[in-house]
Amino acid sequence: MLKGKTAIITGSGRGIGKAIALKLASYGANIVINDIPQSDYADDTCEEIKALGVDSIVIKGDVRNKDDVDALIKGTLDKFGKIDIFVNNAGITRDGLMIRMSEEDWDLVLDINLKGAFNCIKAVARPMMKQRSGVIVNIASIVGVMGNPGQANYVASKAGLIGLTKTTAKELSSRGIRCNAVAPGFIRSAMTDVLADDVKQKYLDAIPLAKFGETEQIADVVAFLASDMSSYVTGQVINVDGGLVM
Ligand code: NAP
């Protein structure tokens, strides 16, 4: 389905990003792993991907840093000659009630989750426009659709990412570039493992499918959006949340 395509996934050393990288590789795409410069996981993930029979490299860098993002795009083009798929997955949380939230925690989350995606889209748009083809998938969150107490910074970043997705789709569709978002619900990963048991139970009670999601279930939807199976889909947000929001 993706044989010979080149895919970059930000923050893909572990978690949902890693699952997306493995899934796209399993469909034949060559993979560029990006993660923070001090990542302990990126090299091992790269080896796992190569074992699937595709090519893979690691280009570390912070999505907040424009020079790092430019190096990610250049390094990919030097190695593979083109970029077919770009997944904005890197993201963090710094939770707390709004009245107690520090300006630093607000800025950090917006900088990584939203400005990081803007930096990446801006940088990858140029080669994709030249190719007159490309697919961008942004990993948002269901809380960006419904709001969530204790996550003002994170919710604002993900709601912003949804707006950025729709604008990107409108600005770039005439150049053959599609852009969609996936909004995961409660997915088992390092990000959610740290939540208190009562918070987890509250979510579980509200999920019609009555279980938490797995990273592979997000990766399946990303693979659909990255492939020609979704060639008439752009500017959409697909909730992958067990029915939490409908
Ligand atoms: P995760 O396990 O913490 O993975 C996030 C990845 O992003 C890590 O590899 C992290 O690196 C990397 N990263 C952090 N800051 C970065 C930066 N500035 N530049 C480049 N990479 C950076 O979290 P996850 O659960 O897989 O989340 C992945 C995405 O899904 C995020 O955008 C998140 O908001 C979204 N999401 C997750 C859930 C969920 O339930 N888990 C729900 C909705 C949305 P290090 O860890 O090595 O620092």
Side-chain angles (χ1 to χ4, degrees), residues 12-14 18 21-22 25 30-34 39-60 79-80:
S12 50
R14 62 176 175 155
K18 176 180 177 180
L22 286 166
N30 297 316
I31 303 293
V32 179
I33 300 287
N34 156 262
S39 169
D40 296 329
Y41 314 97
D43 293 324
D44 288 347
T45 299
C46 185
E47 290 311 312
E48 265 186 67
I49 285 168
K50 283 186 195 160
L52 296 174
V54 297
D55 206 352
S56 182
I57 55 170
V58 175
I59 304 179
K60 290 184 182 173
K79 167 79 178 168
F80 295 110

Side-chain angles (χ1 to χ4, degrees), residues 30-106:
N30 297 316
I31 303 293
V32 179
I33 300 287
N34 156 262
D35 216 309
I36 50 170
Q38 59 275 30
S39 169
D40 296 329
Y41 314 97
D43 293 324
D44 288 347
T45 299
C46 185
E47 290 311 312
E48 265 186 67
I49 285 168
K50 283 186 195 160
L52 296 174
V54 297
D55 206 352
S56 182
I57 55 170
V58 175
I59 304 179
K60 290 184 182 173
D62 188 326
V63 293
R64 285 175 293 176
N65 183 319
K66 210 183 142 306
D67 291 342
D68 285 7
V69 171
D70 288 345
L72 173 63
I73 301 301
K74 183 176 182 312
T76 303
L77 290 171
D78 287 348
K79 167 79 178 168
F80 295 110
K82 63 182 179 130
I83 303 167
D84 303 292
I85 300 158
F86 195 100
V87 183
N88 279 302
N89 167 79
I92 64 156
T93 51
R94 287 292 182 278
D95 296 349
L97 288 175
M98 211 182 334
I99 53 167
R100 274 190 239 124
M101 186 172 285
S102 68
E103 192 179 339
E104 288 73 26
D105 281 351
W106 173 271

Side-chain angles (χ1 to χ4, degrees), residues 1 11 39 50 61 84 100 122 133 137 147 168 176 178 182 190 226 237 243:
M1 190 163 82
S39 169
K50 283 186 195 160
D84 303 292
R100 274 190 239 124
K122 196 173 164 187
S133 69
V137 182
T168 303
R178 294 187 297 111
V182 173
V237 184

Side-chain angles (χ1 to χ4, degrees), residues 11 14 16 35-36 62-63 89 139-140 154 158 185 187 189 192:
R14 62 176 175 155
I16 291 173
D35 216 309
I36 50 170
D62 188 326
V63 293
N89 167 79
I139 308 302
Y154 184 75
K158 296 301 187 178
I187 306 304
S189 75
T192 49

